[in-house]
Amino acid sequence: QVQLVESGGGLVQTGGSLRLSCAASGRTFSTGAMAWFRQAPGKEREFVAGIGWRTARTAYTDSLKGRFTISRDNAKNTLYLQMNSLTPEDTAIYYCAEGAVVGPSPGVEAYRYWGQGTQVTVSS
């Protein structure tokens, strides 16, 4: 079992920045990749970014690449998402996820464990 706990969400103004963290614990030896997803009201869960846990290969949704940066600290078992130049369209609950797949995948089916989510709200 892997437990994931997100933190760092909150309310920011347009143009602001946030850094989300996801602390992983439990049996993480088989982790191949971790990822961030988000879900806005009335919308499907959307892939944001993923990273290979051992390879550090990254993948991003094209519309977010350049504003969002995913990283990980293996020694701390922690995943990060740096979010810059935020807009109201970024408002959503952000989730971290863990999967055995080595290459980060945009599909929710590739991930085994999920955090509880952290709310990000961007105001005008």
Side-chain angles (χ1 to χ4, degrees):
Q1 296 285 336
V2 176
Q3 295 80 45
L4 306 172
V5 180
E6 301 100 330
S7 62
L11 174 64
V12 298
Q13 297 183 79
T14 296
S17 298
L18 285 173
R19 190 173 82 151
L20 306 183
S21 299
C22 174
S25 61
R27 305 180 195 93
T28 60
F29 65 89
S30 64
T31 297
M34 296 185 70
W36 290 97
F37 289 77
R38 67 184 185 183
Q39 189 164 23
K43 296 184 178 180
E44 295 293 313
R45 189 164 296 189
E46 175 191 26
F47 176 78
V48 174
I51 187 166
W53 198 245
R54 299 176 180 86
T55 67
R57 184 188 188 280
T58 58
Y60 295 89
T61 293
D62 285 344
S63 62
L64 302 177
K65 189 174 183 179
R67 293 197 298 118
F68 289 13
T69 303
I70 190 169
S71 62
R72 87 279 191 267
D73 187 332
N74 300 71
K76 296 181 179 179
N77 277 343
T78 302
L79 178 73
Y80 303 98
L81 183 68
Q82 179 67 46
M83 305 186 295
N84 298 325
S85 301
L86 288 164
T87 74
E89 288 69 41
D90 297 316
T91 295
I93 301 174
Y94 285 71
Y95 301 89
C96 66
E98 183 272 358
V101 61
V102 175
S105 171
V108 296
E109 71 280 357
Y111 299 92
R112 304 176 296 187
Y113 300 103
W114 296 80
Q116 82 287 351
T118 185
Q119 177 71 49
V120 171
T121 302
V122 185
S123 66
S124 301

